[in-house]
């Protein structure tokens, strides 16, 4: 690091990253009496005054302005939060529990001790109370989502309403500032009330360790006078920087065993649908229904809508499709996502420790994405859609169910797909299987006595659902286990 | 058409990070972006010239900031591609892209947009996607969009 003033801080527990895992960990440990320092690379932004979909918010709240690349045979756009509260400040706040058979499979396949379904359920229930998880009443449901439900019902497909962590008026716009029960409104204030010190605009660059023990960390913090170097001494360190940045920091610190070798994602394709009726999707609450007929491999649902996001979906064939913008008020956006089957890699660029992420869609991923977009099309036509515009290079438009069914016969070419993702995990999987796992059954990094991970990187493999709930449940479970073993 | 150098109001820098100072694009690059964006943005909604200029400046700043915010190992080669886009027309017309007449600029954009080489298509696609996002979600454009009828688009 560059020379300059150095600030030294000592603490009992250093928690790096303030997202779903870090905030829960900091609050739990602080409430148990530990002295906790919580650092966050991004800024502390008052999201009660900022609609998180705007271009300004993208610059402030997202890493790389919302355009983080995942490299592969077909590059994938990845959007990741980088602010106090992490991705919980910018995500949909959908809440899912993993099904019991997933937990059982993880327990067996990854040799995870004490991952019982009933104890997980109790953790989920506790967190659901803390976050005010609830469903939107029927009177307030967004039109675009209701259409998807109607179409799926007509086809006899299973469709569920996904609850969300949102307080206040659930009928309000999807972008109502301050409505989401994100970490900056829930667990971070709780951690602060219990004595946690929070440092935003603070990036940890290296962990110092010797003989299986982390002795501290180096970083930089942005102050009013410019960046200042930090040296932090800590008895315990918990990494919660997310499935990309956690392995980046570990590998930059020469901690590499099973770190960043098994990244999983939920790749996604978008589709715009045009209807006869005016929907004004940009003013509606967030879409709430997901089609689970093809779960766990494929999930279909609604997406955030603005005229700008609509144009981005149309931009693969802008010349041909831009005319559709005149009907933007009759349009909505949807997505088809699949449970990725490849294993990606997370590395750090040697000069400046930037994340280099690689993931190549497998043949199965390609087929599932193709099937997903085709099935989505079927459901939307069943609900009365006039025309569909998939986020593909070809075809630019879909005009009938028959076209959807023909599309499903063969996987779409990689070069024609504009794939994105907002779900990444499993880069440092948990379990006692030391051949493949980075941390033990409770998040302690194998080979280290005082280093833990508490974020989505320890989720063993693709959960097939929005991961926030599982990330928080595992963080809470592991933090309590830490307290019980140390105290 | 000259690109008016943005004033302090809409010069939105890449957010400063704790690690490194923000990467600022040059004014010359902003001029290139302006001459790309003015052909990539839709004609609708119709805005008065002052509003259109203000919006276009904001779009240029947003796209410049998005490119500036890319990871360095992506930004450097991507800027190289944009530099190639700027200078390749000089091989045949002895003029950079930004100094070509509007029709020439349009032809260059179409050539890269429709190129069989995915790298060229993706170079323009990124600029177009970011520009459309900022343009159509700009508060001045959105308020105008909401008052338009479908026949106003013709």
């Amino acid at each position: 690091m560059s020379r300059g003033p150095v600030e030294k801080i000592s603490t009992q527990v250093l928690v790096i990253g303030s997202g779903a895992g870090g905030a829960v960990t900091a609050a739990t440990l602080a409430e148990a009496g530990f002295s906790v320092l919580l650092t966050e690379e991004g800024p502390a932004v008052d999201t009660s005054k900022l609609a998180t979909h705007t271009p300004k918010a993208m610059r402030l709240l997202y890493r790389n302005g919302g355009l983080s690349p995942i490299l592969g045979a077909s590059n994938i756009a990845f959007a990741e939060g980088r602010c106090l509260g992490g991705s919980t400040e910018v995500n949909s706040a959908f809440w899912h529990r993993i099904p019991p058979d997933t937990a059982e499979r993880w327990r067996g396949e990854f040799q995870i001790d004490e991952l019982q379904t009933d104890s997980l359920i109790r953790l989920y229930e506790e967190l659901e109370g803390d976050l005010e998880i609830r469903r939107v009443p029927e009177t307030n449901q967004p039109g675009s989502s209701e259409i998807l439900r109607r179409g799926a019902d007509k086809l006899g497909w299973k469709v569920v309403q996904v609850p969300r962590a949102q307080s206040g008026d659930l009928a309000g716009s999807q972008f109502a500032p301050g409505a989401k029960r994100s970490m900056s409104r829930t667990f971070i204030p709780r951690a602060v009330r219990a004595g946690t010190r929070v440092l935003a605009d603070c990036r940890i660059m290296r962990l110092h360790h010797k003989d299986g023990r982390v002795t501290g960390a180096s970083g930089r913090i942005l102050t009013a006078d410019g960046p200042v170097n930090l040296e932090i001494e800590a008895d315990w360190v918990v990494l919660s920087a997310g499935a990309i940045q956690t392995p980046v920091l570990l590998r930059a610190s020469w901690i590499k065993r099973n770190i960043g070798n098994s990244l999983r994602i939920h790749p996604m394709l978008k589709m715009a649908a045009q209807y006869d009726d005016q929907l004004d999707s940009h003013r509606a609450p967030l879409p709430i229904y997901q089609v689970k007929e093809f779960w766990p491999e494929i999930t279909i649902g609604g997406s955030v809508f603005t005229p700008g996001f609509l144009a981005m979906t149309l931009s693969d064939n802008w010349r041909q499709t831009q005319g559709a913008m005149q009907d933007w008020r009759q349009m909505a956006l949807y997505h088809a996502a699949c449970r990725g089957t490849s294993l990606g890699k997370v590395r750090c660029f040697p000069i400046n420790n930037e994340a280099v992420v690689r993931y190549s869609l497998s043949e199965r991923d390609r087929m599932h994405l193709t099937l997903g977009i085709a099935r989505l099309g079927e459901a939307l036509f069943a609900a009365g859609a006039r025309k569909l515009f998939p986020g593909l290079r070809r075809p630019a438009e879909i005009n009938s169910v028959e076209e959807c069914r023909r599309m499903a016969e063969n996987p779409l070419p990689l070069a024609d797909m504009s794939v994105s993702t907002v779900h990444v995990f499993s880069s440092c999987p948990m379990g006692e299987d030391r051949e493949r796992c980075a941390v033990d059954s409770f998040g302690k990094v194998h080979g280290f006595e005082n280093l833990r991970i508490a974020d989505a990187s320890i989720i063993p493999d693709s959960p097939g659902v929005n991961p926030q709930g599982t990330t928080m449940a595992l963080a809470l479970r592991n933090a309590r286990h830490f307290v019980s073993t140390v105290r | 058409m000259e690109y008016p150098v943005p004033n302090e109001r809409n010069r939105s820098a890449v957010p400063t990070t704790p690690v490194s100072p923000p990467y600022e694009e040059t004014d010359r690059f902003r001029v290139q972006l302006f001459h790309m964006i003015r052909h990539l943005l839709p004609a609708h909604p119709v805005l008065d010239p002052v509003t259109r200029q203000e919006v276009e400046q904001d779009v240029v700043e947003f796209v410049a900031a998005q490119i500036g915010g890319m990871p360095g190992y992506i930004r450097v080669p991507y800027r190289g591609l944009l530099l190639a886009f700027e200078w390749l027309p000089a091989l045949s017309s002895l003029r950079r892209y930004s100094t070509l007449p509007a029709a020439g600029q349009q032809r260059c954009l179409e050539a890269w947009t429709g190129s069989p080489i995915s790298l060229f298509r993706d170079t323009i696609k990124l600029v177009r996607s970011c520009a459309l996002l900022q343009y159509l979600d700009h508060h001045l454009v959105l308020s105008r969009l909401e008052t338009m009828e479908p026949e106003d688009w013709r």
Side-chain angles (χ1 to χ4, degrees), chain A residues 308-329:
Chain A
F309 286 147
L310 172 62
M312 287 181 80
T313 301
L314 299 176
S315 70
D316 274 284
N317 294 285
W318 184 244
R319 231 175 146 190
Q320 193 175 342
T321 60
Q322 61 178 304
M325 287 301 303
Q326 72 179 44
D327 294 319
W328 70 277
R329 298 181 79 163

Side-chain angles (χ1 to χ4, degrees), chain A residues 131-365:
Chain A
L131 296 179
E132 300 178 34
I133 302 294
R134 47 188 157 143
R135 288 183 168 78
V136 177
E138 281 203 19
T139 47
N140 293 335
Q141 292 178 1
S144 62
S145 213
E146 176 59 29
I147 288 169
L148 178 63
R149 185 196 63 75
R150 201 167 62 229
D153 278 348
K154 271 192 178 173
L155 295 171
W157 292 351
K158 181 179 177 185
V159 60
V160 300
Q161 191 200 130
V162 184
R164 294 182 63 217
Q166 177 165 328
S167 62
D169 180 10
L170 285 177
S173 165
Q174 58 191 306
F175 308 120
K180 194 164 25 181
R181 298 281 290 161
S182 59
M183 294 303 102
S184 69
R185 280 185 208 96
T186 54
F187 282 86
I188 293 175
R190 220 169 107 175
V192 169
R193 282 194 297 273
T196 297
R197 183 180 174 191
V198 178
L199 294 179
D201 288 311
C202 175
R203 179 164 177 182
I204 304 299
M205 309 288 290
R206 284 277 190 286
L207 300 177
H208 305 300
H209 58 95
K210 188 178 176 184
D211 298 329
R213 185 170 176 80
V214 175
T215 54
S218 300
R220 298 188 93 191
I221 185 168
L222 202 57
T223 69
D225 300 320
V228 170
N229 294 326
L230 272 183
E231 291 292 337
I232 303 172
E233 281 182 356
D235 298 328
W236 295 280
V237 174
V238 181
L239 261 178
S240 302
I244 305 298
Q245 299 302 320
T246 282
V248 165
L249 176 55
L250 287 169
R251 294 190 70 92
S253 307
W254 293 92
I255 301 169
K256 296 186 176 183
R257 188 178 172 85
N258 296 329
I259 301 291
N261 296 334
S262 53
L263 179 76
R264 303 268 197 179
I265 71 173
H266 288 157
M268 176 167 70
L269 289 174
K270 292 274 185 79
M271 179 132 80
Q274 191 180 63
Y275 302 97
D276 291 325
D277 297 328
Q278 186 163 305
L279 295 176
D280 281 340
S281 302
H282 64 302
R283 296 199 175 282
L286 260 184
I288 52 173
Y289 286 107
Q290 288 183 356
V291 175
K292 295 295 192 187
E293 179 70 15
F294 313 102
W295 191 86
E297 302 309 329
I298 299 169
T299 298
I300 293 165
S303 292
V304 166
F305 182 95
T306 68
F309 286 147
L310 172 62
M312 287 181 80
T313 301
L314 299 176
S315 70
D316 274 284
N317 294 285
W318 184 244
R319 231 175 146 190
Q320 193 175 342
T321 60
Q322 61 178 304
M325 287 301 303
Q326 72 179 44
D327 294 319
W328 70 277
R329 298 181 79 163
Q330 294 158 237
M331 298 183 76
L333 287 172
Y334 301 89
H335 69 270
C338 75
R339 211 171 141 253
T341 56
S342 286
L343 292 178
K345 287 203 188 307
V346 181
R347 298 289 183 265
C348 63
F349 199 70
I351 297 170
N352 54 9
N353 288 352
E354 280 174 338
V356 181
V357 187
R358 289 197 295 273
Y359 183 94
S360 286
L361 293 172
S362 64
E363 278 303 297
R364 219 166 136 199
D365 293 347

